Amino acid sequence: MTLDLPSMGLGTSGNKDPEECASTVAAALDIGYRHVDTAQMYDNEEPVGAGLRQSDVDPDDVILATKVHPKNLAPEDVRRTTEESLDRLGVDSVDLLYVHWPTHAYDAETTLPVFDELREAGLTDHVGVSNFTPELLDEARETLDSPIAAHQVECHPLLPQEELRADAREHGYSLVAYTPLGRGEIFDEPELVEVAEKHDASVAQVCLAWSMAQDVIVPIPKSTGEHVAENFAARELELDDEDLAKIDGIDREKRVIDPDHRPWN
């Protein structure tokens, strides 16, 4: 069974205020979002679950994803903390459970089989990975019985991730893009500004429309307030071939998330 993700999801990284987080999730669902992403590392699983319950949307219609903290990737910790995540979220299972970073306690041979076990036990429907390199993806595929349903990485017009997009196409999974707006640090790029002005759109909407035009990328922008609806409206923005060529022609690169424990160096 493959995981068919909506074209855009809601990211919740950094949204730690319980009331704001819950109200944002509920508002997003009411607007039309059907994919909500959280993580043990975000320290907001409980308010995300509260937001799901506040909305009138049937939880069965929402794809809920969370991620196991890299320090919790020893086998016994994966099992224990996944159950704790489900308790905080107020659910019996999630649609998608990720390895958040292949660092700290991560060991493919001992960590990944537990994700298979959790899937077999019904605690998650699908297994995902995050922040993996092509080599680590190959290793994970060799180790897992479950198919990789999604790979979550930083991805935006100034970090287009061509190699990982190709891997996603070849192996039939979604490349879920976190920080798809480059944390706003790419909004002054002239090519993006020019395309936004052409369409009377925001640069944020252009970045999201570019992501959704790539056929395997599912952006999950994090936002609050009016930006939740503004981002969702990017689903209606159609970039033409000239727009896409202009954006793809940007020859500058910017990686926003680059921690010391990154696996790509």
Side-chain angles (χ1 to χ4, degrees), residues 11 28 107 143 158 184 228 242:
D107 177 76
T143 308
L158 268 72
V228 177
E242 181 182 8

Side-chain angles (χ1 to χ4, degrees), residues 117-157:
E117 292 173 14
L118 293 173
R119 181 169 173 255
E120 291 170 6
L123 275 65
T124 184
D125 292 335
H126 300 277
V127 173
V129 296
S130 185
N131 300 300
F132 276 46
T133 61
E135 294 76 19
L136 288 170
L137 285 167
D138 287 339
E139 179 185 50
R141 274 188 288 267
E142 292 172 2
T143 308
L144 281 166
D145 291 330
S146 305
I148 293 174
H151 179 206
Q152 188 172 139
V153 294
E154 178 181 347
C155 184
H156 48 71

Side-chain angles (χ1 to χ4, degrees), residues 45-87:
E45 289 173 318
E46 190 168 346
V48 165
L52 290 170
R53 291 186 293 277
Q54 286 177 21
S55 171
D56 291 332
V57 175
D58 187 335
D60 290 340
D61 294 334
V62 181
I63 292 176
L64 178 61
T66 193
K67 311 178 199 73
V68 178
H69 196 293
K71 293 182 179 179
N72 294 334
L73 290 171
E76 62 277 8
D77 293 333
V78 174
R79 297 184 189 94
R80 174 181 56 82
T81 64
T82 296
E83 292 176 354
E84 291 170 353
S85 288
L86 298 179
D87 287 342

Side-chain angles (χ1 to χ4, degrees), residues 148-188:
I148 293 174
H151 179 206
Q152 188 172 139
V153 294
E154 178 181 347
C155 184
H156 48 71
L158 268 72
L159 192 66
Q161 301 283 21
E162 292 98 333
E163 187 175 8
L164 294 178
R165 281 156 52 192
D167 188 272
R169 290 190 191 96
E170 179 182 352
H171 294 282
Y173 61 85
S174 296
L175 193 73
V176 177
Y178 70 73
T179 321
L181 309 180
R183 285 189 170 172
E185 296 179 23
I186 62 175
F187 284 0
D188 292 332

Side-chain angles (χ1 to χ4, degrees), residues 88-103:
R88 286 190 291 268
L89 288 163
V91 297
D92 294 326
S93 65
V94 289
D95 298 278
L96 179 57
L97 183 70
Y98 288 96
V99 174
H100 201 157
W101 288 87
T103 58

